[in-house]
Each structure stands twice: as C-alpha cells, then as structure tokens.
Amino acid sequence: MLFFNLSAFYFFYFAAVGVYVIFLPKVLQDIGYSTFDIGIILALAPLMRFLTPFMFLKHIKLNQKMFKTALYLSIISSACFYLTIERFYLFMINNALLGVCLSLILPYLEVTAISTLGKEKYGKSRLFGSIGFMIISLVLAKFLTQPYVAIHYYLVLNILTVIFAILLLKYDVEHKKEENDEPFSFFKYWPFWVSLFFMQISFGAFYNFFTIYETEHGMSLEMTSYLWSFGVICEILMLYFQAPLLKNNLLTIIKFCVTITTLRWFLLYLYPDSLGVTFLTQSIHAFSFGLYHSSVIIYLYSLYENKKLAQQFMYGVAYGLGGFVGAIVAGAVYGEFLFIFSALFSLLSLIALYFVKTKF
C-alpha cells in the first residue's frame, strides 16, 4: 500500500501543479492581467516557499501536526481562488498562503519516499506525478472554456492530494538524531545552493510563459498542450529507467543535466516557431528535470543529516527563491530574447557546480 499511496499522492499533486503551471497564466491573461502582473502573481508562491523554511531553523518543527495544518490550509486557499482570482491584490495574498502550504507538503513526503523506497524505486513512484501532470495537460486543454473550469479542477485535485498525503503519515520515518545535529548550514556547500538557485531561475520563462510564448509564435493551445505532454512522457521514461544512472557520480550527472538544459533554452530562442525543434527541446526535459531532480534530491539526502529541512530548503532556494526571481525576470523581459536569458542563467548554474567539492 505504501507504493500505491505514494504514487497516488504524486499523481494528484502534480496534476494540480499542471493546472497551475500550464493553464493559470493563460487564464489570467484572458481575464485581463498583463504579462508583468502574471509574473508577479506566479512569483508569490515561490517566494513563500523560500521564506517559510527559515522559520523551521530554530522556532518551529516540521512534524505531523504542522504537516496536517498545511494540508488543510491548502484546501482553504484553493477554494478561495473562486473569490479572489479577479481581484489582483486578494489573489496575491491567496497565492502567498498557498505557497506557504506547498513549501511544507512535498518536502515532508520526499524524505518518506527516499527513506522507505530507496533510489531504486523512488523514480518509479515519482513518475506517477509526471503522468498526472501529462494527463491534466491533455484533458484541460479541451475543456478550458472559461476561467472557473481551471479552478474546479485545481480544487478537486488538491482535495485528492490531501487525502493520500494523510494516508502516508503512518509510513513517516522520524529522524530522531536530527534534533541534536550540527546547525543547518548553507555556507558549507554554498556553490551547490547557488547552482540550484540559478538553474531554477532559468526555468522561469518555461514554467510561466512557455504556453503564451508558443501560442504567440503560431502554435495552437492544443498543440502546446501536446508539447507539454511530450516533455512529460520523456520525463516519465527517464524516471522509470534512471536507477542504474543514479549509481554513478551524482555531481557529474547534475553537471551534464545543467549543460544540456542550457542547449535546450538556446534552441527555443533560435527556433521558437519550429514544431520539430520545439519537440526536441521538450525531449530534453527528461534530463533537465527528470534526471536532474532525482539526482539533486538524493545528493542533498546524502549531504545533510537534517534531511527534511534540507529538502525544505531545496524547494525553498530552488523552486522558491529561484522560481520567484525567474517569474519576475521572465515577466519583465518577455519577448524575443526571453530564452536567451534562460540560457545565461543555466550557464551560471553550471559554472557554480565546478566549485562544489563534495562528490557522491
């Protein structure tokens, strides 16, 4: 039942992410938001993901009670989308609350997944998240006739996510020794954290504006959803077959993934209206997310004794602060050179990795 419940959690969690990432920008644009407004809105949740883990350094413990609170608040926040989506400042506050909740939910269960399944089975469970993301991209593209349809889907998927997250609590592995460990430190491995930060900034254009970027270059919304789905299929294949690769030097794998991601962004800049090249860049998602994400998760699991806090900060620094800055930058520079900026940021991520000394 552990594998089933964990896989179901990933499925519904990332299906909800699919609604948020793929369709919310388009929904907000249709309502009348400018690209800069969209960038600000989508930057708030990542910003809260970055700020929230700092509260857990000394004052608060991420235990089951706190985890359950985050789950229930995420449902409330999702339901409030109905009341706030057409009011810019209220929607900002709502997204900030949602960001706090999300900063706790996934990092908490990632530790459970790695500690109970190991690196051999982790990818095979995590791939169900990619399947959920892909399915929602195909389904919702056909039914998104007005903004509230997307909100209906998001709320239902969030409720199902919470149900399976609660079922997983009995498998939670408490790391008793974490309480007496040396203080959590960024500075000990600072180049790696810098690399995570710049890598996620490079994704700001893709996660927040890929749909708008491609539709403005002649792709239909339905074809764009196929592009999203193809990228996820490649990611799923990587997650299923990646276990032998993860037995090699993780830092070398991460360097390769960042390198090929830089090429991906550069190709999107050069050939924005080429369907063949765009499918090629989406195939690289197998490496720039699938293999990269697993390698980073396991690498940090090996580096730090306080594993839940390490995962919190990974999502906070990378998907939080990096996502926040990436969304703001992408909204501000949106235009012809959007993915040139992405390529430059991923190149900075690669350079930082060459200052990392610890290898696994």
Side-chain angles (χ1 to χ4, degrees):
M1 284 300 292
L2 167 63
F3 186 87
F4 175 83
N5 289 338
L6 192 56
S7 299
F9 164 79
Y10 280 131
F11 180 91
F12 292 117
Y13 180 92
F14 285 101
V17 169
V19 176
Y20 195 94
V21 170
I22 301 175
F23 298 103
L24 186 61
K26 186 66 175 173
V27 165
L28 295 178
Q29 187 183 48
D30 291 343
I31 288 174
Y33 284 63
S34 68
T35 56
F36 187 71
D37 289 341
I38 294 171
I40 292 174
I41 289 292
L42 298 180
L44 278 172
L47 178 62
M48 298 313 297
R49 287 184 190 176
F50 170 67
L51 294 176
T52 303
F54 287 98
M55 296 188 295
F56 290 82
L57 283 173
K58 293 182 179 179
H59 308 295
I60 308 174
K61 184 174 177 60
L62 181 53
N63 52 27
Q64 290 195 4
K65 182 179 179 181
M66 180 60 65
F67 179 67
K68 288 179 181 178
T69 301
L71 291 173
Y72 299 140
L73 282 177
S74 72
I75 294 178
I76 294 172
S77 179
S78 300
C80 285
F81 274 22
Y82 290 100
L83 304 175
T84 63
I85 193 168
E86 296 189 27
R87 299 170 178 84
F88 178 75
Y89 291 105
L90 288 178
F91 199 55
M92 283 177 60
I93 296 171
N94 203 13
N95 272 268
L97 174 61
L98 183 64
V100 172
C101 299
L102 296 177
S103 71
L104 305 179
I105 295 171
L106 189 59
Y108 190 96
L109 289 179
E110 286 279 44
V111 174
T112 299
I114 297 171
S115 59
T116 54
L117 297 179
K119 62 173 72 173
E120 292 79 14
K121 292 185 177 180
Y122 167 76
K124 292 182 179 179
S125 178
R126 174 61 180 78
L127 68 81
F128 282 92
S130 302
I131 293 173
F133 187 94
M134 178 185 66
I135 290 176
I136 202 66
S137 73
L138 294 172
V139 171
L140 197 50
K142 296 183 180 297
F143 296 100
L144 188 59
T145 54
Q146 53 98 8
Y148 287 94
V149 172
I151 301 176
H152 299 335
Y153 274 79
Y154 191 79
L155 178 59
V156 170
L157 291 169
N158 196 13
I159 291 172
L160 290 169
T161 298
V162 169
I163 290 172
F164 282 98
I166 291 173
L167 291 175
L168 285 166
L169 283 177
K170 63 182 178 181
Y171 302 105
D172 180 35
V173 178
E174 296 288 346
H175 295 274
K176 303 294 185 181
K177 61 180 181 179
E178 288 179 3
E179 296 178 3
N180 300 316
D181 285 334
E182 59 182 298
F184 186 92
S185 173
F186 283 112
F187 298 105
K188 190 173 181 180
Y189 307 107
W190 68 266
F192 190 72
W193 291 104
V194 170
S195 178
L196 288 177
F197 173 65
F198 281 118
M199 179 64 161
Q200 199 56 35
I201 291 179
S202 81
F203 272 88
F206 177 70
Y207 284 142
N208 297 290
F209 291 100
F210 179 73
T211 300
I212 296 173
Y213 183 79
E214 289 302 328
T215 53
E216 287 188 353
H217 281 91
M219 305 286 183
S220 67
L221 182 60
E222 187 173 3
M223 179 55 70
T224 305
S225 73
Y226 294 152
L227 286 164
W228 279 102
S229 300
F230 178 70
V232 176
I233 289 171
C234 296
E235 173 190 319
I236 290 169
L237 291 172
M238 176 58 74
L239 288 168
Y240 188 85
F241 293 107
Q242 70 182 358
L245 294 175
L246 294 174
K247 294 177 182 178
N248 298 310
N249 185 292
L250 291 175
L251 190 58
T252 300
I253 294 173
I254 293 169
K255 287 177 181 177
F256 173 77
C257 291
V258 176
T259 301
I260 198 170
T261 299
T262 305
L263 174 64
R264 175 187 186 182
W265 303 145
F266 191 61
L267 287 173
L268 273 177
Y269 159 71
L270 289 176
Y271 306 102
D273 53 357
S274 170
L275 186 60
V277 172
T278 307
F279 268 106
L280 174 63
T281 64
Q282 287 298 88
S283 72
I284 296 175
H285 202 64
F287 298 94
S288 57
F289 180 80
L291 185 59
Y292 175 82
H293 177 80
S294 297
S295 301
V296 166
I297 290 285
I298 297 169
Y299 187 77
L300 281 174
Y301 189 86
S302 304
L303 281 183
Y304 287 99
E305 293 294 334
N306 195 330
K307 302 182 187 306
K308 287 179 181 175
L309 193 56
Q311 298 303 328
Q312 265 192 280
F313 272 108
M314 191 280 289
Y315 283 98
V317 171
Y319 298 99
L321 185 61
F324 169 75
V325 175
I328 292 292
V329 170
V333 305
Y334 182 83
E336 179 185 357
F337 299 104
L338 178 64
F339 282 101
I340 278 289
F341 284 94
S342 292
L344 289 173
F345 284 124
S346 59
L347 183 60
L348 289 173
S349 174
L350 179 63
I351 292 170
L353 286 174
Y354 283 92
F355 292 90
V356 177
K357 304 301 180 184
T358 306
K359 299 180 179 180
F360 292 102

